Amino acid sequence: VEARRQLASELRDNLLALGPTFIKFGQLLSTRVDVLPKEVIEELVSLQNEVPGFSTDRAIEIIKEELGIASLNEVFERFDKKPLAAASLAQVHRAKLKTGEEVVVKIQRDGVKEQLDIDLKNIKWVASVADRIDPEEEGVASNWRGIAETSEKVLYKEIDFSIEKQNCDNFRELLSNLPYVKVPETYGAFCTSKVLVMEYCQGVKINTIFDDGDLTGSKHAAELSSSPPPPPNKNNPGSSE
């Protein structure tokens, strides 16, 4: 067990060293409790919360470049230099707009797209090789290349924060009839493909929710499962997607 834990720790460190694409891969693996040993899961789960941040000075420069401002004082009354959190693709700082709203500012890491271009090209090549050597199981051929290409599409969407902003706005509208669901406001005037400014909402990770000692969160699950359907999408009355 100890040897397995050591190997898992080395795997985590290597994924961190390889950068954003492989950190995302490790985050995905950390959810596969059905496949990986407990010791590996315990090490990889740290990739969800304990990714090293990058320079605050560089984060400020990216904000200024993206928003076309000379100083943060043009937009923010306060900007916390200590990151609230850091992840594989970005880091987040608390701030206060000059209009008084408490917000968080999500800033994309430098060179993420360029790194993804290289990593995903290599991953697709490896996937193509795997398709050639991986035998069919019960007459069904593997499709590693297809999986790699699907992952590529998802990752490129994830680094476009304008898509995340739109998804957040859509989600908030669709769930506006549920009083126990809170979706942060976004501030479009200060959002770009690399910077996202949204309302600060204090909370906890969903897997820490419990109620009266009920670690399954059954009360919350029951509320969501019994909720009325959201209103139809304005652009497609037959769909609430």
Side-chain angles (χ1 to χ4, degrees):
V1 173
E2 189 56 39
R4 187 185 295 165
R5 191 181 301 279
Q6 180 61 35
L7 286 173
S9 177
E10 292 175 3
L11 172 61
R12 178 206 61 208
D13 293 343
N14 287 332
L15 291 173
L16 281 170
L18 286 167
T21 311
F22 293 91
I23 293 172
K24 293 297 291 185
F25 180 63
Q27 290 172 344
L28 175 63
L29 289 178
S30 74
T31 67
R32 296 305 304 269
V33 294
D34 57 323
V35 175
L36 296 175
K38 177 183 176 182
E39 296 79 17
V40 176
I41 295 294
E42 288 176 349
E43 291 293 335
L44 293 183
V45 77
S46 67
L47 295 175
Q48 297 179 14
N49 300 308
E50 300 174 16
V51 178
F54 59 94
S55 163
T56 297
D57 289 340
R58 181 53 191 149
I60 291 172
E61 288 303 313
I62 292 172
I63 295 171
K64 292 194 293 187
E65 291 167 7
E66 288 294 308
L67 301 186
I69 57 178
S71 169
L72 291 188
N73 294 334
E74 296 179 37
V75 174
F76 302 104
E77 179 180 314
R78 187 194 78 248
F79 183 87
D80 293 357
K81 290 197 171 184
K82 182 179 179 180
L84 184 65
S88 57
L89 304 179
Q91 73 181 27
V92 175
H93 292 255
R94 283 195 65 175
K96 184 177 183 179
L97 294 176
K98 292 189 74 174
T99 48
E101 296 90 347
E102 288 286 339
V103 297
V104 292
V105 186
K106 182 177 179 180
I107 309 111
Q108 189 172 122
R109 291 178 181 270
D110 262 332
V112 165
K113 183 181 183 302
E114 292 75 14
Q115 189 65 52
L116 283 180
D117 290 341
I118 296 169
D119 292 342
L120 291 170
K121 181 179 179 180
N122 291 332
I123 288 171
K124 286 191 293 183
W125 180 83
V126 172
S128 296
V129 172
D131 277 338
R132 294 192 185 99
I133 63 176
D134 193 14
E136 292 186 2
E137 293 290 342
E138 298 182 356
V140 179
S142 60
N143 186 20
W144 295 109
R145 175 80 183 198
I147 294 171
E149 289 176 347
T150 299
S151 300
E152 177 182 47
K153 292 176 183 177
V154 171
L155 279 171
Y156 279 125
K157 286 182 179 180
E158 193 168 345
I159 63 172
D160 184 348
F161 291 174
S162 62
I163 294 177
E164 182 175 347
K165 177 196 176 299
Q166 188 60 56
N167 288 340
C168 187
D169 293 341
N170 291 343
F171 194 62
R172 183 174 58 255
E173 180 181 0
L174 290 171
L175 299 182
S176 60
N177 60 327
L178 304 182
Y180 47 82
V181 175
K182 171 65 176 176
V183 183
E185 295 283 346
T186 59
Y187 298 88
F190 313 121
C191 297
T192 72
S193 63
K194 295 183 179 180
V195 172
L196 180 62
V197 178
M198 63 172 59
E199 177 187 4
Y200 172 71
C201 298
Q202 191 169 3
V204 296
K205 289 183 67 176
I206 194 167
N207 60 356
T208 65
I209 292 176
F210 63 94
D211 183 66
D212 295 329
D214 177 11
L215 296 179
T216 66
S218 58
K219 174 185 175 183
H220 307 284
E223 284 181 337
L224 291 173
S225 62
S226 62
S227 299
N233 187 303
K234 293 179 180 178
N235 297 320
N236 182 3
S239 170
S240 58
E241 183 175 330

